[in-house]
Amino acid sequence: MNPIDIPPEKLAEEMAEYSRRLGHGLENLLDAEQIDTGVTPKQTVHREDKLALHRYLGADGVKRNPVPLLIVYALVNRPYMTDIQEDRSTVRNLLTGGQDVYMIDWGYPDGADSSLTLDDYINGYIDRCVEVIRKQSGQEKINILGICQGGAFSLCYTALHQRKVKNLITMVTPVDFQTPDNVLSSWVRHIDIDLLVDTLGNVPGELLNWTFLSLKPFSLTGQKYVNMVDVLEDEARLKNFLRMEKWIFDSPDQAGECFRQFVKDFFQKNGLINGGIALGERQVDLKNITCPLLNIYAEQDHLVPPDASRALRGLTGTRDYSEVSFPGGHIGIYVSGKAQKTIPPAIARWLIERS
Amino acid sequence: MSERGFWDDNLLELQQKYWERWSGINRRASGTEAPAQNSPWEMALEHWWQAVSPAVPEITRDFMTRMIDQGKQFFRIAELFSGNAQKQGKPADWTALCGQLVADMQSAGGSGLDTEAGDGRHNWMGFWELPFDNWQRMASTLSLLPGDPLRNMPHGGSPSDMERLFSAPGLGYSREEQAQQQKLLELFAEYRRALQEYSRFFTDIGSESVKRLRDRLGQRTHNGEVIDSARTLYDTWVETCEEVYGERVRTSEYARINGRLVNAAMGVKNHFGIMIDESLGALNMPTRREVRTLQVRVQENRREIRCLQAELEFLKGRFDDLPAARTRRGTAAAATTRKTAPRKRSSVKKPGNFSNESD
């Protein structure tokens, strides 16, 4: 028996259908207006260098948690992933859940920012944002939600400034950077980071994109475009696709010194596990984190494997540690319909119980 | 020492190849390269695209090009396994085809970028260009030249001859410049070697993927399952490639090869930067190194200013808490009350009545 039996007429039919969709889809692509992202109304309450701190405006009539929630996103890619479209917005669902949501937008660093260090980001920018929110809200302590690399930053920040943090949530956050299934980590260990940063100054977003796409090159740079032909005729799905495509390739450059330290201390020395991370003159000790801690990870995360996140259990000094696992991937946890129904409400509930 | 000198036909041949490759790049870049013989469907699609693409905005054009390229790819695979054989009126011998594909890939060996297998088989192997294509796109963003120009440099020359050339000492007044150029050539050569190693690695996993596909098809035969659409075949192929790729890139061998490629590319770019800096310095223009130094100093100053501001705030707070300061504040407040009370009666405000103590 031949396991491949594609009748010529069926092949011709598939080809004709593919061509028809391409032709029809081209019109939809040309008609597609500017792709909007970051859909929830917001107010910028603080600006500094390239950074902007936004406060999101919730619907009237929703009882607000008096303790504000600051979202600390990664430096990689853009934070509008958490608010990508109206029916897929973690931010909006947190507002609906009664949270007073702020988020840091790191902007696009350029050459003038290449000397920014991790200390500048964590003890500088994040701390000053926290101060703005504390002052504005009149609260001694605020809640922090750290996403991916922003989660690692939030852990460091809380370890150094515990008195300002009431509750900490980490989402798809790498803690153990050297789990056996962490492909990125094994790649980066052989790269001469000093040579890279000394050569490039800031690390281009294109280099990071290449690295991420290299995790699944055939699916992410080939098959994806064949699948796209399937959605070309559906305007709404096409726009969703284009929004994701925009986000994937909207990759800011990384401030060189910060990148150097992050790769060396976190990836190469696995500093959150082994210790030895110093920010300015202070050592980060996760045992200093004593506030309630919620750790959320994605079961099919190919960037931050579940074990890399779960390693947080037992590393901190808190007596209130919880985990939530999401049956999806690193991006799906913000944008999938299933995530919208489960993750923001779970965060809101957990915070309200502790505020 | 080799029997032939360095300035022999080898070098001329090498130079000729180099210019042919450059011409090839230029032809491709200008779109004047003669198109390969494709299937009627591909040609029809290509004609249609050539007709409509000038009116399409660049961003949309990029999307469409990707969809068209991938569409061609998946129908090529289907035609390879079914179309050609059915034209000949007999079922495709898929096991023989898999064997031929593996042989083609292995014969391509380290020059996996320059495969010359015929017809559909060449196109099939083109699928394994995706990771290279990704690298090339990225490398072009780091380069002064379009694409990854180093990729198409000839690599057939004798390495020992090249190394001899690089190690010849510089002479005379321009000795330093010669040494810089030699260093650059060494770094080019290392990049080229790293890229070849990277290429060989992908050739290996390409062959492995075909073998894995053969096994999967065998399993389907055993289970009585049939692939009856081009899309299913394409998805099976992508899934197989991704599976094999995923296994191989998790190895320490790949991490080393990948690291070597990135480090070699950075080595070339770094040295270019040094040479450009020297030229800029000679023209009395600011160099990159100088700008970096200034950036670092500015950032250090900003940190110091912030520290001083914080200390100042702290000291002001401490000062305000001192009993003497509290007493003075109380006295000043009382004085202000006394001073401002009569003003209530006045309709004219006089400037200069405010003090820090009363804030």
Side-chain angles (χ1 to χ4, degrees):
Chain A
M1 189 196 101
N2 191 342
I4 302 168
D5 184 15
I6 308 171
E9 60 277 12
K10 180 155 188 197
L11 186 59
E13 198 181 299
E14 278 189 86
M15 287 174 172
E17 179 62 11
Y18 194 87
S19 307
R20 193 189 64 74
R21 284 185 178 172
L22 270 178
H24 198 266
L26 178 61
E27 284 176 28
N28 278 347
L29 267 177
L30 294 175
D31 289 344
E33 291 159 8
Q34 193 64 30
I35 298 299
D36 297 325
T37 48
V39 290
T40 305
K42 58 184 182 284
Q43 186 177 28
T44 303
V45 295
H46 173 64
R47 279 191 187 280
E48 186 183 348
D49 299 338
K50 309 288 189 313
L51 172 154
L53 175 65
H54 304 302
R55 185 183 189 189
Y56 287 88
L57 309 174
D60 293 337
V62 177
K63 193 183 167 195
R64 288 276 182 93
N65 184 341
V67 184
L69 171 66
L70 171 64
I71 300 178
V72 180
Y73 197 78
L75 302 177
V76 180
N77 287 110
R78 303 281 294 137
Y80 58 75
M81 169 52 75
T82 57
D83 188 32
I84 199 152
Q85 63 189 64
E86 287 178 3
D87 57 342
R88 289 164 198 268
S89 166
T90 304
V91 166
R92 179 165 290 208
N93 286 314
L94 286 168
L95 288 170
T96 308
Q99 301 306 309
D100 183 6
V101 182
Y102 290 73
M103 184 156 66
I104 298 174
D105 178 345
W106 300 109
Y108 296 86
D110 58 29
D113 303 301
S114 63
S115 304
L116 291 172
T117 60
L118 272 180
D119 181 37
D120 293 321
Y121 273 98
I122 295 173
N123 289 324
Y125 289 138
I126 294 179
D127 190 46
R128 287 191 286 278
C129 286
V130 170
E131 284 304 321
V132 168
I133 299 169
R134 287 173 74 208
K135 201 171 169 185
Q136 201 169 70
S137 66
Q139 296 285 327
E140 271 297 297
K141 297 180 173 193
I142 67 163
N143 297 325
I144 292 183
L145 164 58
I147 293 178
C148 190
Q149 182 192 32
F153 285 10
S154 302
L155 285 167
C156 294
Y157 179 79
T158 309
L160 297 173
H161 304 270
Q162 176 57 86
R163 70 182 178 85
K164 299 180 188 176
V165 183
K166 190 168 180 68
N167 300 292
L168 175 63
I169 301 144
T170 52
M171 201 163 164
V172 287
T173 292
V175 176
D176 183 348
F177 282 73
Q178 295 185 355
T179 53
D181 51 355
N182 193 330
V183 182
L184 277 181
S185 173
S186 79
W187 291 358
V188 93
R189 269 179 265 170
H190 287 264
I191 289 175
D192 183 342
I193 294 300
D194 287 329
L195 176 65
L196 186 95
V197 174
D198 291 345
T199 303
L200 300 175
N202 283 346
V203 176
E206 288 83 3
L207 183 60
L208 301 178
N209 275 341
W210 170 70
T211 307
F212 295 133
L213 293 176
S214 295
L215 288 169
K216 288 186 172 183
F218 305 103
S219 313
L220 300 178
T221 59
Q223 191 182 31
K224 184 175 79 171
Y225 295 99
V226 172
N227 293 342
M228 187 185 169
V229 176
D230 295 341
V231 304
L232 278 177
E233 290 180 287
D234 182 330
E235 252 178 82
R237 287 175 70 195
L238 175 61
K239 279 203 166 180
N240 292 351
F241 184 97
L242 294 175
R243 270 191 205 98
M244 287 303 298
E245 191 75 356
K246 175 184 159 102
W247 179 80
I248 287 167
F249 292 102
D250 190 358
S251 198
D253 296 348
Q254 304 293 299
E257 288 310 316
C258 177
F259 185 83
R260 188 197 306 263
Q261 194 185 351
F262 188 73
V263 171
K264 281 186 171 181
D265 288 357
F266 289 73
F267 277 97
Q268 294 180 336
K269 296 179 186 162
N270 206 10
L272 286 179
I273 298 291
N274 300 327
I277 296 172
L279 298 178
E281 291 169 0
R282 302 171 67 187
Q283 289 286 327
V284 173
D285 182 355
L286 295 185
K287 288 286 178 204
N288 291 337
I289 299 176
T290 52
C291 64
L293 177 49
L294 175 64
N295 186 15
I296 303 169
Y297 60 89
E299 288 163 19
Q300 280 96 47
D301 194 331
H302 71 292
L303 289 172
V304 179
D307 282 348
S309 293
R310 283 194 294 246
L312 185 57
R313 179 187 285 274
L315 282 184
T316 66
T318 185
R319 282 186 289 184
D320 182 357
Y321 174 89
S322 327
E323 280 177 2
V324 169
S325 75
F326 171 72
H330 192 76
I331 309 300
I333 200 166
Y334 323 117
V335 296
S336 77
K338 190 165 46 177
Q340 296 309 310
K341 288 187 191 123
T342 55
I343 300 298
I347 293 172
R349 263 197 315 275
W350 185 85
L351 284 174
I352 285 166
E353 284 165 9
R354 288 161 178 81
S355 294
Chain B
M1 189 172 166
S2 70
E3 285 180 10
R4 292 190 295 178
F6 192 83
W7 299 104
D8 62 8
D9 290 346
N10 258 356
L11 181 63
L12 292 174
E13 193 185 322
L14 208 65
Q15 285 179 330
Q16 193 181 349
K17 275 188 185 172
Y18 173 79
W19 288 113
E20 278 170 7
R21 297 288 166 85
W22 261 117
S23 308
I25 295 169
N26 290 335
R27 277 201 303 275
R28 281 197 292 278
S30 63
T32 54
E33 190 180 49
Q37 283 299 309
N38 294 325
S39 73
W41 177 78
E42 271 188 39
M43 285 195 284
L45 193 64
E46 199 57 54
H47 283 310
W48 170 76
W49 182 230
Q50 278 176 8
V52 298
S53 62
V56 174
E58 198 174 328
I59 185 166
T60 311
R61 204 182 304 157
D62 190 45
F63 270 130
M64 289 297 287
T65 306
R66 285 172 192 228
M67 285 188 286
I68 288 169
D69 288 348
Q70 280 309 304
K72 286 178 190 169
Q73 194 64 54
F74 99 76
F75 286 118
R76 278 171 193 164
I77 293 169
E79 282 192 319
L80 182 66
F81 270 88
S82 64
N84 287 338
Q86 278 160 348
K87 267 184 232 162
Q88 294 160 15
K90 57 181 181 182
D93 182 354
W94 58 273
T95 48
L97 188 56
C98 285
Q100 190 56 55
L101 285 167
V102 172
D104 285 344
M105 284 191 150
Q106 284 170 347
S107 68
S111 65
L113 306 171
D114 309 318
T115 53
E116 291 186 1
D119 304 332
R121 296 206 311 272
H122 173 71
N123 291 331
W124 170 279
M125 284 185 282
F127 190 64
W128 275 93
E129 284 258 329
L130 265 179
F132 295 109
D133 188 47
N134 293 340
W135 166 258
Q136 198 180 15
R137 278 165 192 264
M138 197 284 297
S140 73
T141 67
L142 307 180
S143 166
L144 293 172
L145 299 166
D148 178 9
L150 304 178
R151 174 185 169 177
N152 290 293
M153 282 185 77
H155 51 275
S158 157
S160 61
D161 282 346
M162 298 298 274
E163 277 158 20
R164 279 177 55 224
L165 176 69
F166 301 153
S167 60
L171 294 169
Y173 187 68
S174 62
R175 202 208 73 83
E176 290 301 317
E177 282 171 27
Q178 291 170 45
Q180 293 271 23
Q181 300 286 353
Q182 283 173 328
K183 175 77 179 165
L184 183 63
L185 288 171
E186 275 175 39
L187 291 165
F188 269 141
E190 166 55 14
Y191 177 73
R192 185 66 225 185
R193 283 193 292 267
L195 193 60
Q196 274 185 280
E197 190 180 21
Y198 192 72
S199 158
R200 271 196 299 274
F201 185 84
F202 278 95
T203 306
D204 285 350
I205 47 180
S207 313
E208 178 62 29
S209 299
V210 179
K211 288 177 193 162
R212 186 79 55 95
L213 180 71
R214 187 180 57 198
D215 295 345
R216 282 191 172 191
L217 294 176
Q219 191 60 42
R220 276 181 176 266
T221 310
H222 182 73
N223 297 340
E225 296 166 355
V226 173
I227 291 176
D228 62 354
S229 75
R231 184 58 175 274
T232 312
L233 178 60
Y234 174 79
D235 288 345
T236 307
W237 172 229
V238 170
E239 197 183 305
T240 309
C241 289
E242 213 67 275
E243 184 181 284
V244 174
Y245 175 86
E247 289 166 12
R248 296 293 298 272
V249 299
R250 279 182 156 76
T251 60
S252 57
E253 184 198 6
Y254 176 75
R256 184 191 60 73
I257 290 170
N258 181 65
R260 184 185 178 194
L261 181 68
V262 174
N263 294 341
M266 289 306 116
V268 173
K269 189 170 171 66
N270 187 277
H271 196 71
F272 255 134
I274 292 169
M275 292 170 73
I276 289 170
D277 258 9
E278 291 194 358
S279 303
L280 290 172
L283 294 169
N284 204 21
M285 290 174 74
T287 65
R288 186 167 180 265
R289 196 167 44 194
E290 287 165 359
V291 173
R292 286 294 295 276
T293 304
L294 291 174
Q295 286 168 342
V296 170
R297 285 182 190 164
V298 167
Q299 188 57 29
E300 279 169 1
N301 287 342
R302 278 159 47 104
R303 276 183 215 123
E304 277 172 23
I305 289 168
R306 287 201 185 281
C307 282
L308 290 171
Q309 278 174 334
E311 275 181 38
L312 196 60
E313 288 297 316
F314 175 74
L315 289 172
K316 272 170 74 179
R318 292 286 298 270
F319 179 77
D320 288 348
D321 287 345
L322 290 174
R326 277 204 297 268
T327 310
R328 201 164 47 243
R329 268 205 310 276
T331 313
T336 308
T337 312
R338 281 197 301 278
K339 279 182 192 171
T340 52
R343 242 193 279 143
K344 285 182 182 170
R345 292 193 293 271
S346 170
S347 60
V348 180
K349 282 185 183 175
K350 289 182 184 173
N353 274 344
F354 304 100
S355 67
N356 283 339
E357 285 85 356
S358 64
D359 284 346

